[in-house]
Amino acid sequence: INPDATGEQILKVSRIVIVLFGIFMGLFSILLNVIGLNLGWVYLFMGVVIGSAVIPLWNMMTWDKASGKGAVIAAWSGLALALTGWLVGARIQSGSVSIANLGTNEVMLSGNLIAIFSSGIIHYIYSKFIDPQDFDFTTLDANIHLVEQDLSGLGVEQQDKDELRRAKRWITRRGYLLTFVLILVWPLLSIPAQVFSESYFAFWVLISIAWGFGAAIVISFLPLIESQDEIGRVLSGMFNYITGRQGDAADYAEEEPPTKTVEEPAKEAEEPAKEVEDASDPNYNKFVEVLSDDEADKVAEKA
């Protein structure tokens, strides 16, 4: 890893990784299809595999006592426990281990819960009693550097520490609120209905679809609105390149023809300065001597 990598190097590596990741995911999806695993099975299995890293990463970003070594131990230990509980759960519920038995909701839920909570408990115990740290989060400003110190796209507000603190509070409060609604309030609303009727289930599905479309609209259009200045400059540059103009295209859009005023007289063309003859020419020197004698005679006559 090169901490002093330039923007061009980072862009090159990013492109290579994107291509390789795309090829890998394409081959991996073909393999899953051959095995007979559907998207729902894979989606639930993701929680078993990566769920053990959630709480350790959260602790590392928010808890000054969190241990880095403990986070690694907790993540791998949680993964091992989650896979074990997942396989054991399928064996207990169905009496055998198969793709279909491993994909049931109860078995997948047990694996996901074990992954999340076991890693969190392990990391807390390790950080609290075995390897406690005392990290100062204020040092992040000095240790995190921009690539090539490029501040383009960052306005005054994005560099104002007070504004960043207010944004952090805004995100934190709404994040906790959204977590509370999705994890507690939303599931609790299904309890009064018990077994869903057809109309109640249709209402439930309608709300889910509306939520999905609302989220799609927000994540699609909000970045465009926030980046409208940058997008405008790019379009202006493209317009200027096509038309052969310079500057911002918005200037041309608002440009008005200049109003006529009293015409100023045209300046007379200055006559080109006459070239002085070369002083080394003997005829020129003789001319100067004659002219000097004439001037001397005029002075004598006046006297």
Side-chain angles (χ1 to χ4, degrees):
I1 299 176
N2 181 14
D4 299 323
T6 63
E8 183 178 355
Q9 291 174 328
I10 294 175
L11 182 61
K12 181 180 179 180
V13 173
S14 300
R15 290 172 174 172
I16 295 174
V17 171
I18 289 173
V19 173
L20 294 178
F21 180 76
I23 295 173
F24 169 76
M25 290 304 297
L27 297 175
F28 187 62
S29 62
I30 295 174
L31 176 63
L32 294 177
N33 184 55
V34 172
I35 296 175
L37 300 179
N38 55 38
L39 182 60
W41 197 98
V42 175
Y43 182 76
L44 294 175
F45 180 65
M46 284 174 55
V48 180
V49 176
I50 66 176
S52 59
V54 173
I55 294 182
L57 286 176
W58 171 265
N59 290 338
M60 292 297 295
M61 293 186 292
T62 59
W63 187 25
D64 58 352
K65 304 297 182 183
S67 168
K69 185 187 296 183
V72 175
I73 294 175
W76 285 106
S77 300
L79 173 61
L81 292 174
L83 292 175
T84 302
W86 180 54
L87 295 172
V88 171
R91 177 72 178 182
I92 294 175
Q93 185 185 54
S94 305
S96 61
V97 177
S98 63
I99 293 178
N101 297 336
L102 291 172
T104 61
N105 290 332
E106 296 80 7
V107 174
M108 284 291 189
L109 178 62
S110 63
N112 277 260
L113 292 178
I114 293 173
I116 293 175
F117 289 109
S118 65
S119 62
I121 295 172
I122 293 172
H123 191 217
Y124 176 80
I125 294 174
Y126 195 95
S127 300
K128 189 71 174 179
F129 303 105
I130 300 177
D131 185 27
Q133 301 294 313
D134 189 16
F135 182 74
D136 184 8
F137 283 95
T138 59
T139 60
L140 289 177
D141 291 339
N143 295 326
I144 297 179
H145 305 284
L146 294 174
V147 177
E148 298 180 351
Q149 296 300 315
D150 184 9
L151 297 177
S152 59
L154 296 177
V156 178
E157 293 183 355
Q158 286 80 9
Q159 302 180 49
D160 186 3
K161 294 184 178 181
D162 294 332
E163 183 65 25
L164 292 176
R165 279 192 289 269
R166 285 193 291 270
K168 178 184 176 182
R169 288 196 299 268
W170 190 92
I171 294 171
T172 303
R173 292 171 182 173
R174 284 155 180 79
Y176 280 118
L177 177 61
L178 185 61
T179 302
F180 175 76
V181 171
L182 294 179
I183 293 180
L184 293 177
V185 177
W186 183 254
L188 288 175
L189 292 177
S190 63
I191 294 178
Q194 296 182 357
V195 179
F196 284 9
S197 62
E198 183 178 353
S199 59
Y200 194 87
F201 181 73
F203 172 72
W204 200 261
V205 172
L206 178 62
I207 294 178
S208 302
I209 294 175
W211 180 280
F213 273 100
I217 292 172
V218 170
I219 64 177
S220 298
F221 289 97
L222 188 58
L224 297 178
I225 296 174
E226 293 178 343
S227 305
Q228 56 184 336
D229 294 337
E230 290 78 6
I231 295 174
R233 284 196 292 269
V234 172
L235 295 177
S236 296
M238 295 173 61
F239 175 79
N240 295 338
Y241 178 80
I242 295 173
T243 59
R245 296 180 174 181
Q246 295 180 352
D248 193 347
D251 297 338
Y252 298 110
E254 300 175 359
E255 184 179 359
E256 297 180 357
T259 55
K260 286 190 175 183
T261 57
V262 179
E263 295 184 358
E264 297 180 358
K267 293 183 179 180
E268 297 181 358
E270 297 181 357
E271 295 182 0
K274 295 182 179 180
E275 296 182 357
V276 179
E277 297 184 10
D278 189 0
S280 62
D281 190 353
N283 295 328
Y284 173 77
N285 294 332
K286 185 176 181 180
F287 170 76
V288 172
E289 292 177 0
V290 173
L291 183 61
S292 301
D293 293 340
D294 292 342
E295 292 292 334
D297 292 342
K298 291 180 181 179
V299 174
E301 290 177 357
K302 289 181 180 180

